[in-house]
Amino acid sequence: MPLLVIYGNSYVAGVGASSVALSFPGRIRAGLTGYWDTQIVGRSGNTAQQCYFAMSDTIIKPYATTSDKWLLFYEGTNCGNQSTYPKCYRQLTLDLISAGWNVIHMTTATPQPGIASYYGILQGNKIIRNDYAAWGAKGYVEIANDPIIGSYYNNATYYPDAVHPNDTACQLYADLCIPTIRQLASNYYRGLP
Amino acid sequence: MPLLYIYGDEQVIGTGVSSPSTESFPVLIRKELAGLWNVQSKGYYGWGTSSLYFNYENDFAEYESTESKYLYLVEGKQDIGISPYDVNALNQFTRRMTNAGWNVILSTAYVTAGRWATPWIERYSIINHAIRNISQQWGARAYVDIAADPGFSSEGNPNLLDGIWPNAAGCQIIADISIPVIRSVWEADGLA
């Protein structure tokens, strides 16, 4: 059974959802039960760069002996105002691949126009779409262009605290992620639904 | 002329003083060393060492041909206070810069007050232990022990604005304790 680690920031940790089970990683885990061993490693407040420097201890070493391993990464929310974060995404991907991982990225939901992180996230999303294959990532999940959950600005129905997705939004996140994971993995695991 | 590059987070910009162009600690250090050293500084508001690590091409590549270059890193408000993996970031940052020919001088992270104090102090003790005892293994030449200075070693001290950023008095202290350490490294290299 292949391993899927969902890794990243507070979204991954389940902030905004009423429980981890109802967060988008929890829903992905439920949707893939029986076919994947899904682990969730999220930490509120983490930037992509902090994720990078934490992943040796939290991701790479603990699963060093696992053969079929995939990582779904979500960040950008906390580092959109830091111009180095696309470089970090690239290095994170390269290092994970070197350690035997298959990597899937996600574009980042956007905040309000006019603030620095908005433009940074736009640029970061553009780089993810353009460069993921060059980095060696298997694909990406398009969150930012989704008409319902793509932006948390002025979107209280799905982001009541103006940042984090609620239970309903998390279901939509999972609905976008699961088919992408299945499609990308089907190239490697014959018969995996 | 040898280069001293003071680099880090918003403390380096002068957040915490009313006149960054005259009161920030990089300006005070530059004034003290004027004429003998090319002193540059750059800081990023809200950036941790993990973010600075990925900034090499932006800020350091232009100095690749500079023979004598010294980097003084002052950061502690972003990664060190927040991330449990700050030691990894500082380790890799120091190694990367050392491998690129820089002489790296670190600084300990000092205690803060108010709502940030409780979660940060424990992590500060971990990172400061590493800076004091292990950082030479990473390649660091020295460290400035800001945290051990009486002006910064107690919670609620008067040298910080909002319990976080060094004010004018705090910047003077940082400059005063930094310059001897920097000079000692230069003396060891026969440059003083």
Side-chain angles (χ1 to χ4, degrees):
Chain A
M1 186 180 294
L3 168 72
L4 173 68
V5 172
I6 306 171
Y7 186 48
N9 63 15
S10 55
Y11 286 45
V12 175
V15 177
S18 53
S19 69
V20 172
L22 296 177
S23 69
F24 89 83
R27 292 173 188 271
I28 292 173
R29 177 160 56 192
L32 299 176
T33 295
Y35 303 98
W36 293 77
D37 170 19
T38 304
Q39 301 294 325
I40 301 167
V41 183
R43 187 169 180 280
S44 186
N46 261 9
T47 62
Q49 294 91 335
Q50 288 169 339
C51 289
Y52 173 79
F53 285 105
M55 74 181 188
S56 175
D57 290 330
T58 59
I59 305 292
I60 292 175
K61 289 176 185 172
Y63 301 108
T65 59
T66 303
S67 54
D68 296 330
K69 46 196 175 188
W70 294 66
L71 185 134
L72 178 65
F73 185 63
Y74 189 84
E75 220 297 282
T77 318
N78 298 320
C79 60
N81 63 339
Q82 299 171 5
S83 58
T84 58
Y85 98 84
K87 286 182 187 171
C88 172
Y89 266 61
R90 175 182 177 275
Q91 197 61 49
L92 178 144
T93 308
L94 295 176
D95 285 10
L96 284 168
I97 291 171
S98 295
W101 289 79
N102 300 286
V103 179
I104 304 172
H105 287 293
M106 300 169 68
T107 58
T108 306
T110 56
Q112 64 270 39
I115 64 171
S117 64
Y118 173 76
Y119 297 106
I121 290 171
L122 286 187
Q123 180 67 12
N125 287 340
K126 185 177 175 183
I127 291 172
I128 289 171
R129 295 176 189 120
N130 290 341
D131 294 354
Y132 77 92
W135 302 339
K138 291 290 185 279
Y140 68 92
V141 180
E142 182 57 82
I143 299 294
N145 280 348
D146 185 87
I148 300 172
I149 57 169
S151 173
Y152 53 82
Y153 171 59
N154 206 17
N155 191 357
T157 302
Y158 296 95
Y159 297 90
D161 70 354
V163 179
H164 299 99
N166 63 10
D167 292 346
T168 309
C170 286
Q171 182 63 60
L172 298 175
Y173 271 72
D175 290 346
L176 292 172
C177 291
I178 290 173
T180 302
I181 296 166
R182 282 181 168 149
Q183 181 203 340
L184 294 172
S186 68
N187 297 331
Y188 298 87
Y189 308 115
R190 190 184 301 272
L192 191 71
Chain B
M1 187 179 290
L3 170 67
L4 172 67
Y5 200 164
I6 305 169
Y7 197 66
D9 60 18
E10 65 265 26
Q11 301 166 85
V12 176
I13 305 170
T15 302
V17 301
S18 54
S19 177
S21 62
T22 59
E23 296 174 326
S24 67
F25 72 85
V27 170
L28 299 175
I29 292 173
R30 182 182 297 126
K31 186 189 301 181
E32 186 72 20
L33 301 174
L36 298 171
W37 297 85
N38 174 17
V39 182
Q40 303 291 331
S41 65
K42 195 161 192 177
Y44 293 85
Y45 193 98
W47 287 37
T49 303
S50 60
S51 300
L52 299 170
Y53 173 87
F54 291 100
N55 221 21
Y56 181 84
E57 288 78 7
N58 292 340
D59 288 340
F60 298 104
E62 65 182 290
Y63 299 111
E64 280 184 351
S65 61
T66 301
E67 283 190 15
S68 187
K69 48 195 176 189
Y70 295 77
L71 174 70
Y72 179 26
L73 179 70
V74 183
E75 196 285 301
K77 305 306 179 199
Q78 318 305 330
D79 279 357
I80 292 171
I82 298 168
S83 170
Y85 297 98
D86 45 52
V87 176
N88 289 357
L90 194 60
N91 178 347
Q92 293 305 316
F93 181 92
T94 305
R95 289 179 188 275
R96 180 173 192 175
M97 298 309 297
T98 300
N99 289 338
W102 290 81
N103 296 280
V104 178
I105 300 170
L106 300 175
S107 58
T108 54
Y110 48 87
V111 72
T112 60
R115 66 192 178 105
W116 300 109
T118 301
W120 286 15
I121 288 174
E122 183 181 354
R123 291 174 190 156
Y124 279 5
S125 70
I126 295 170
I127 191 74
N128 287 349
H129 176 82
I131 291 170
R132 292 171 181 138
N133 297 287
I134 305 171
S135 64
Q136 282 191 328
Q137 298 173 25
W138 307 337
R141 296 291 309 278
Y143 62 90
V144 177
D145 205 341
I146 299 174
D149 187 90
F152 288 99
S153 59
S154 64
E155 188 174 343
N157 74 64
N159 300 310
L160 298 175
L161 174 68
D162 293 338
I164 299 178
W165 301 290
N167 57 23
C171 283
Q172 187 63 59
I173 294 171
I174 292 176
D176 289 344
I177 62 177
S178 298
I179 290 169
V181 175
I182 295 165
R183 281 195 163 132
S184 72
V185 175
W186 290 343
E187 285 172 4
D189 293 343
L191 295 169

